[in-house]
Amino acid sequence: MKNILILIFAVSPLIVPAQFVKNVGLKLGGAYASQSWLYKSIKLEYRDNYRWGGFAAFGAEFLDKEYIRVNIDIGLIQKGLKEKAIVVNSVGKVIGNQELITRFNYMFIAPTGKLQYQKGSWMPYVFMGPRLDFQLSFKTNYAIAAFSGNFAKVIFGLNYGMGVQYMIDQIGMGLEISRHQDLTKVYDAPQSSTNTGLRIKNNAFTFNLVLKYYLENKNDDE
């Protein structure tokens, strides 16, 4: 089932005839990302350790309906976490603080359904759909066994949010906010007699500038 989902995501941008493309666009901004760490044996979970990363995507919209569009984005996103930890010496004395940073780089494919409403030159919209992240690389300064590289290479999740565009002839400029919610765990070690058990999941919000070019003038119908 997992392989079928990956195949559908991978070929979906290629099977839509070019004549149905309504616009193409670029999104640039930042990803405000964190990870939740659940230590299973002691039921202890760490959250809200956010870090900023990069975000960029190329997209296209299809379906010639007044209020409904289908969008496909292909892009890059950085996820992970950042937190401060207390550093102690060999006898347990606190000697300072250390900033622990982890960064995961993903390529993602995200088809979404979009509801939009145009009033004059303004167009607010909301969107939602599934998403696949493909891990490209990771980097960390955590010195723990979990970060040995045994992470999920493909993450399945949801992408949803809202935005607004201002139209000038065939150009749309706007702002967009979205949430990348992961349904697949990044790391999941079972609890054992020698292991507390650890589950790691990503969470991210993106804040983007959007620039789109419409293949036909959106104001022609007014």
Side-chain angles (χ1 to χ4, degrees):
M1 181 65 182
K2 184 176 180 180
N3 291 334
I4 293 175
L5 284 172
I6 294 173
L7 179 62
I8 292 173
F9 274 84
V11 303
S12 59
L14 305 177
I15 62 177
V16 181
Q19 62 266 31
F20 292 126
V21 176
K22 300 306 169 185
N23 67 62
V24 293
L26 184 65
K27 300 178 182 180
L28 294 174
Y32 193 49
S34 72
Q35 291 180 329
S36 65
W37 287 36
L38 174 63
Y39 292 92
K40 299 177 182 180
S41 63
I42 55 177
K43 300 296 188 296
L44 178 63
E45 185 171 14
Y46 291 99
R47 291 177 176 265
D48 301 327
N49 35 17
Y50 283 87
R51 68 175 295 278
W52 281 102
F55 179 94
F58 173 80
E61 284 188 1
F62 312 90
L63 191 61
D64 191 14
K65 300 295 183 182
E66 183 178 2
Y67 302 111
I68 302 174
R69 289 287 168 91
V70 174
N71 184 84
I72 297 178
D73 282 340
I74 300 176
L76 301 172
I77 185 171
Q78 293 180 334
K79 298 181 180 180
L81 61 86
K82 179 176 71 173
E83 64 180 352
K84 289 184 178 180
I86 296 174
V87 179
V88 298
N89 61 18
S90 58
V91 296
K93 181 180 178 181
V94 176
I95 58 175
N97 294 304
Q98 180 184 9
E99 190 171 65
L100 301 177
I101 299 175
T102 296
R103 184 177 71 197
F104 286 79
N105 297 313
Y106 294 99
M107 181 185 77
F108 70 89
I109 301 176
T112 56
K114 176 181 173 183
L115 294 177
Q116 63 185 31
Y117 176 74
Q118 184 171 358
K119 182 66 174 179
S121 297
W122 291 96
M123 184 192 298
Y125 58 89
V126 295
F127 58 90
M128 183 175 183
R131 193 196 77 253
L132 275 180
D133 291 347
F134 302 90
Q135 182 190 307
L136 301 177
S137 63
F138 79 94
K139 183 179 181 180
T140 183
N141 60 356
Y142 274 66
I144 61 174
F147 286 95
S148 61
N150 188 25
F151 302 111
K153 301 302 181 183
V154 179
I155 303 291
F156 179 68
L158 298 175
N159 178 35
Y160 52 89
M162 64 181 67
V164 61
Q165 285 186 50
Y166 184 79
M167 306 299 304
I168 304 176
D169 295 326
Q170 291 173 248
I171 302 296
M173 299 177 292
L175 300 172
E176 186 176 285
I177 301 173
S178 69
R179 183 182 181 192
H180 280 219
Q181 181 178 355
D182 284 8
L183 302 179
T184 304
K185 303 174 184 67
V186 179
Y187 182 83
D188 194 12
Q191 180 181 341
S192 69
S193 58
T194 58
N195 192 330
T196 61
L198 175 62
R199 183 220 69 194
I200 303 175
K201 289 186 72 174
N202 281 326
N203 182 45
F205 297 88
T206 69
F207 302 86
N208 304 302
L209 297 173
V210 180
L211 180 63
K212 291 192 173 185
Y213 175 74
Y214 287 79
L215 304 185
E216 57 185 32
N217 197 324
K218 286 293 294 176
N219 294 315
D220 286 348
D221 298 331
E222 295 184 356

